[in-house]
Amino acid sequence: MTFELHPNLQKKDFICDLDFCRVLFEDNRNYPWIFLVPRQENVKNMLDLPTPARLQLMREIERAETAMNRLFKPDQTNVAMIGNMTPQLHVHIICRFKNDAAWPKTVWSEKPIPYEPDEKQKLIKQIKQEILKDD
Amino acid sequence: MTFELHPNLQKKDFICDLDFCRVLFEDNRNYPWIFLVPRQENVKNMLDLPTPARLQLMREIERAETAMNRLFKPDQTNVAMIGNMTPQLHVHIICRFKNDAAWPKTVWSEKPIPYEPDEKQKLIKQIKQEILKDD
């Protein structure tokens, strides 16, 4: 099995690997935002995963979402699989706040604002620690 | 247990009930689009569901997505839990086509175009049959 990230996902910062998924960071200071990417070959969308793999994905979404919630205490979390532009299954987990840049709309039409490099590295470390806490 | 739909979801057409979720129809001819709503009290987002319920939700997403794929043969399916405007967990399952109104963008900023009443009833019947086929 050869797992390779789509070029659009290769650009994202690495946070950590879980048993089933790679966790990536979205460099957009408007929202705390991560991705879960199943470390499997040729998975375009959820239907390409057999049921047990889907259930494992659901467990890791729960784990990552719980960690993000503990860390950022958002008003709402958006969890989405879109994949129109990047044909490799990746789950968006996005913390939303009632005073954020797009609220109550979805985030995909807003222009991203990158973090300062130091701030980004600090955040990635915090998210990693929170997700791996229960290991 | 009293399950009640949020007023925003009460406006949607009923398709069918599965063991765990109610299936609703989005009246927008731009995209074949349904919702899965867990028939549980006070569920705002996925973290309000205990793990077994989440896994059951995942199984019903798989079932509904498979049925929509068989029926509409989309280029991609978008599966998303947003809930910024409607604070009751509902899973969007949206069939996307490379020539649809919003492609490759997400659908939430596009104005909906309702179906003709006859066409809508026919579609709801077809989707219901396809989802309940394996019962």
Side-chain angles (χ1 to χ4, degrees), chain B residues 57-100:
Chain B
L57 173 63
M58 184 52 116
R59 285 196 191 89
E60 294 193 355
I61 293 172
E62 181 173 8
R63 179 176 179 171
E65 193 185 349
T66 303
M68 294 293 278
N69 267 22
R70 278 196 304 250
L71 202 52
F72 299 105
K73 302 184 175 37
D75 294 313
Q76 176 64 338
T77 314
N78 299 162
V79 176
M81 290 132 273
I82 311 291
N84 302 344
M85 302 204 212
T86 302
Q88 176 173 25
L89 178 58
H90 57 290
V91 182
H92 299 258
I93 298 179
I94 310 159
C95 293
R96 302 297 310 274
F97 299 89
K98 287 180 181 171
N99 62 353
D100 74 27

Side-chain angles (χ1 to χ4, degrees), chain A residues 44-47 49-51 54-55 57-59 61-63 65-66 69 75-85 96 103-106 108-109, chain B residues 44-47 49-51 54-55 57-59 61-63 65-66 69 75-85 96 103-106 108-109:
Chain A
K44 189 185 157 206
N45 58 47
M46 285 215 298
L47 289 186
L49 295 175
T51 306
R54 274 194 167 223
L55 298 183
L57 173 63
M58 184 53 114
R59 285 196 191 88
I61 292 172
E62 180 173 8
R63 178 176 179 171
E65 193 184 348
T66 303
N69 267 23
D75 294 312
Q76 176 64 340
T77 313
N78 299 161
V79 176
M81 289 132 276
I82 310 290
N84 303 343
M85 302 203 213
R96 302 298 310 274
W103 186 270
K105 293 187 179 169
T106 56
W108 293 279
S109 46
Chain B
K44 188 183 158 208
N45 58 47
M46 285 215 297
L47 289 187
L49 294 175
T51 305
R54 276 194 166 221
L55 298 183
L57 173 63
M58 184 52 116
R59 285 196 191 89
I61 293 172
E62 181 173 8
R63 179 176 179 171
E65 193 185 349
T66 303
N69 267 22
D75 294 313
Q76 176 64 338
T77 314
N78 299 162
V79 176
M81 290 132 273
I82 311 291
N84 302 344
M85 302 204 212
R96 302 297 310 274
W103 186 270
K105 293 186 179 169
T106 56
W108 293 279
S109 47

